[in-house]
């Protein structure tokens, strides 16, 4: 659990360094959902699909930042 929290904190820091806002919920105003499991049935994942939010893995996000 600690490892997952640490990774989440790192991702949140990277997001804010880019001038974006990291939030804990998904809405129609969300641009991107970073999800460990892209085949999830959780509410955030379902809301992202509902609102047409792009879903990527943490690894894909880090690659995106490096490009």
């Amino acid at each position: 659990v600690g490892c997952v929290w640490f990774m989440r904190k790192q991702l949140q820091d990277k997001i804010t360094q880019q001038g974006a806002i990291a939030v804990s919920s998904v809405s129609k105003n969300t641009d991107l959902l970073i999800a460990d499991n892209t085949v999830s049935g959780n509410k955030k994942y379902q809301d992202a699909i509902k609102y047409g939010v792009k879903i990527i893995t943490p690894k894909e996000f880090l690659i995106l930042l490096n490009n």
Side-chain angles (χ1 to χ4, degrees):
V1 175
C3 183
V4 172
W5 180 87
F6 180 73
M7 183 176 197
R8 180 176 294 157
K9 177 72 173 124
Q10 282 183 313
L11 290 173
Q12 288 175 338
D13 290 346
K14 295 268 187 203
I15 290 167
T16 56
Q17 287 170 3
Q18 297 298 314
I21 301 170
V23 296
S24 60
S25 62
V26 175
S27 73
K28 64 182 179 181
N29 298 319
T30 304
D31 295 313
L32 184 67
L33 174 65
I34 302 169
D36 289 332
N37 183 355
T38 57
V39 188
S40 177
N42 72 31
K43 178 149 175 49
K44 288 179 190 176
Y45 185 84
Q46 291 174 353
D47 285 347
I49 300 246
K50 175 181 171 182
Y51 296 122
V53 174
K54 183 175 181 175
I55 303 167
I56 63 172
T57 65
K59 183 177 179 179
E60 291 171 322
F61 176 71
L62 293 174
I63 291 169
L64 183 66
L65 283 181
N66 291 323
N67 287 334

